[in-house]
Amino acid sequence: MDGKKEKHRGLGWPWNLIVGAGIVLALGYWIGYLWSRLLAAAFLAWQKKRNPGMPEGGYCLERTRKRLFHLGLALIFLFLGLALGVYGWIELQEDKSAWEYEEYIKLAVDCLGALGFTAAGLYTGYAALRDAFWPQNSVLAKSIRSQLPYPEEAPGVGELFAMVDKDIQENGLWFDRVAVGKEWVLGDEASYIPRIRAAFGRDEIRSRQVNGRVQSSRIIELYLLDDRRQVQITTLRNPRELEPLLDCIHLRAPDALIRPYSEYSQWRQKSEEEWQRALRDYQLRQGKRETEEFLSHSAGEGTRSAGTADLAKLLAPKKKKEAPVSGHLGLMSAAGVFQSHDTFTLEDVQAAGDGLIERSYQSVDLTMPNGYLWMRIQTGDKTDGRCNVFTTRAGGDKLRYFKCRCTHRQAAAWLVEFARGTFHPEGGEWKEYTQEVEKEAKKSR
């Protein structure tokens, strides 16, 4: 015995769900379906309280397993389909000699309803079982995979889920049933935060009349629209959590727009030209914000005049083991898996350059310790296989921005030179776009 308190796991999956379903089935007849569901929910909440922290298997796997609850909805659909089918069959047995066209229309609607509810029940049941027992084919896994640059080369479901689980565990803030991490938003589906371009919050009350009575229902949903026009929709239960959730997303994705739900259809119906304009507006907002942050940082710490010579001292090769340097090294693998390092060595940068040459990385983002000198390398596409290189250079009291296209090997060499502090973006291949950045910064003032 090491004196540490052993964590009590209690009932694991699927036994906790089996017990919950047993409570509903066993007590539903005696105390009512609603009360039995409340007891089952209380039991599951008690189980969760006994096992705090990340659930067994991770947040993503727990989300796919909970799709089993949709089997209840599938049974309701099948029951309605069966009832309409029986009613239609009885109607077909009657004498139709006195029927008018209204009766035939009712019979046709009844048959279509029976087929529709039956199909909905079968698909809902199939989707619930698929997501729970074959998570690699689940809606959640597909949503993560679809946001990667090369979905067909995505890693296995274990690595996909682990990528999101780690972010939620380390950085996640929970709002009702939605978690917002540093890189991912986990709801019914998952959204990669750097890809989010607009978010919409829906809080509506719908009313309808049934047998002379007015029935109302409240719809609370989060809509996230990414740069590929893909939409992730998550239903919430607590209306008071919607606004704080949108505020948190705005903090984690400051350049994305937070718009009312009334504008959602307009965004979905944008033409290709309008959509490209919206993407350019996003890039301008991002550049403006980064410039303002740089100017604020430089003015506060008086580091505008720092040149690359000081950086060479920080990352210069040492004969002995290199000391890690605080900065930022971001790596996106060819499969779309993102890594973020706040401390690194020159050897790490060299390894990142080798990854560019070997095509194992699709992007590398290097920010130096003072926070404003950076280099970003993005690999090309099928139309142009060259790398896109973006970098800054400190000169006097002004930060200058440069960009160019080059081969993977050249980009890797420049990356290492930049880390060593010996890089100078000179030559005809480099295009300076400092004035564009400054122009946008002036507009924001």
Side-chain angles (χ1 to χ4, degrees):
M1 298 296 290
D2 56 1
K4 294 183 180 180
K5 186 176 180 180
E6 187 174 323
K7 187 176 181 180
H8 182 70
R9 295 302 311 178
L11 290 177
W13 189 89
W15 300 109
N16 55 346
L17 295 185
I18 293 175
V19 172
I23 292 174
V24 175
L25 294 176
L27 301 180
Y29 176 78
W30 300 101
I31 63 176
Y33 179 68
L34 177 60
W35 288 104
S36 63
R37 284 191 64 184
L38 290 175
L39 283 176
F43 166 77
L44 294 176
W46 175 66
Q47 282 284 307
K48 187 173 183 179
K49 185 177 180 180
R50 297 177 69 194
N51 302 280
M54 183 184 291
E56 184 179 4
Y59 297 110
C60 293
L61 195 58
E62 182 196 41
R63 192 57 54 94
T64 61
R65 288 169 172 175
K66 283 186 176 180
R67 296 276 295 181
L68 273 180
F69 286 113
H70 289 198
L71 287 177
L73 182 61
L75 292 175
I76 294 175
F77 286 153
L78 291 175
F79 174 78
L80 292 174
L82 178 62
L84 290 175
V86 171
Y87 177 78
W89 183 81
I90 294 175
E91 288 291 309
L92 286 173
Q93 308 306 312
E94 294 183 358
D95 182 17
K96 306 179 189 61
S97 58
W99 275 26
E100 296 183 358
Y101 72 93
E102 291 90 349
E103 280 74 14
Y104 286 102
I105 292 177
K106 290 179 181 178
L107 179 61
V109 171
D110 178 80
C111 293
L112 289 175
L115 291 174
F117 278 115
T118 301
L122 291 174
Y123 177 77
T124 303
Y126 158 76
L129 294 173
R130 177 202 63 197
D131 285 17
F133 295 102
W134 292 274
Q136 67 273 15
N137 299 323
S138 65
V139 172
L140 180 57
K142 290 178 181 178
S143 72
I144 301 173
R145 200 178 291 117
S146 67
Q147 294 172 84
L148 303 180
Y150 304 101
E152 64 279 358
E153 300 178 4
V157 66
E159 190 173 348
L160 280 179
F161 283 178
M163 177 174 57
V164 179
D165 288 337
K166 181 180 179 182
D167 181 42
I168 299 303
Q169 184 180 29
E170 296 178 354
N171 310 295
L173 296 175
W174 285 89
F175 302 87
D176 195 7
R177 52 191 302 271
V178 180
V180 182
K182 187 177 180 180
E183 298 173 353
W184 292 92
V185 177
L186 176 62
D188 291 333
E189 302 178 55
S191 300
Y192 186 49
I193 291 178
R195 285 193 175 275
I196 296 176
R197 296 296 178 265
F200 308 85
R202 182 182 186 184
D203 187 357
E204 294 182 352
I205 297 179
R206 287 190 174 182
S207 301
R208 60 177 181 174
Q209 276 195 336
V210 179
N211 297 327
R213 296 182 178 180
V214 178
Q215 295 183 350
S216 299
S217 60
R218 192 166 187 175
I219 303 175
I220 310 160
E221 293 176 326
L222 171 68
Y223 291 72
L224 297 177
L225 179 64
D226 66 19
D227 58 344
R228 297 188 179 185
R229 308 185 80 164
Q230 296 177 351
V231 181
Q232 288 79 38
I233 304 174
T234 298
T235 301
L236 283 75
R237 296 166 296 196
N238 187 350
R240 291 178 295 182
E241 294 286 288
L242 182 59
E243 286 301 322
L245 170 60
L246 291 171
D247 291 340
C248 183
I249 292 174
H250 181 59
L251 289 174
R252 298 287 170 91
D255 305 311
L257 295 176
I258 307 297
R259 308 303 303 165
Y261 177 72
S262 58
E263 298 182 14
Y264 172 71
S265 60
Q266 299 175 11
W267 278 78
R268 292 292 288 162
Q269 295 170 8
K270 283 182 181 292
S271 65
E272 185 60 29
E273 182 179 355
E274 292 173 329
W275 179 250
Q276 292 301 322
R277 188 182 304 118
L279 294 180
R280 288 194 297 270
D281 291 342
Y282 173 88
Q283 294 174 348
L284 291 175
R285 288 194 302 273
Q286 186 182 48
K288 182 193 305 182
R289 176 182 57 81
E290 292 176 349
T291 302
E292 289 177 346
E293 290 176 354
F294 158 71
L295 294 175
S296 176
H297 175 81
S298 299
E301 299 187 11
T303 57
R304 284 193 189 182
S305 60
T308 56
D310 294 332
L311 303 175
K313 298 178 181 178
L314 293 173
L315 285 176
K318 299 177 177 62
K319 295 181 179 180
K320 297 182 179 180
K321 186 177 180 180
E322 297 177 1
V325 176
S326 297
H328 180 264
L329 179 62
L331 306 171
M332 178 72 75
S333 71
V337 179
F338 183 75
Q339 302 177 35
S340 180
H341 304 280
D342 294 329
T343 58
F344 53 89
T345 65
L346 182 60
E347 291 182 356
D348 297 326
V349 178
Q350 291 173 332
D354 293 339
L356 287 171
I357 297 174
E358 297 169 358
R359 308 298 199 274
S360 57
Y361 291 129
Q362 58 176 297
S363 69
V364 175
D365 197 321
L366 175 62
T367 303
M368 302 308 292
N370 49 29
Y372 63 87
L373 288 177
W374 56 264
M375 174 177 283
R376 180 177 300 160
I377 302 174
Q378 298 173 337
T379 58
D381 52 26
K382 295 180 180 179
T383 59
D384 191 339
R386 294 176 297 172
C387 290
N388 291 301
V389 184
F390 304 87
T391 186
T392 60
R393 177 184 176 185
D397 61 348
K398 183 178 181 180
L399 187 69
R400 301 172 64 186
Y401 292 76
F402 297 87
K403 61 183 178 181
C404 80
R405 288 178 178 269
C406 65
T407 64
H408 290 71
R409 191 172 297 279
Q410 179 64 78
W414 282 340
L415 179 69
V416 176
E417 289 179 12
F418 184 80
R420 287 175 174 167
T422 60
F423 173 74
H424 300 281
E426 298 174 347
E429 69 269 22
W430 288 98
K431 178 182 178 182
E432 183 173 0
Y433 65 106
T434 306
Q435 292 182 353
E436 300 174 20
V437 177
E438 291 178 341
K439 185 178 179 180
E440 293 303 321
K442 290 180 181 179
K443 288 182 180 179
S444 64
R445 296 175 183 174

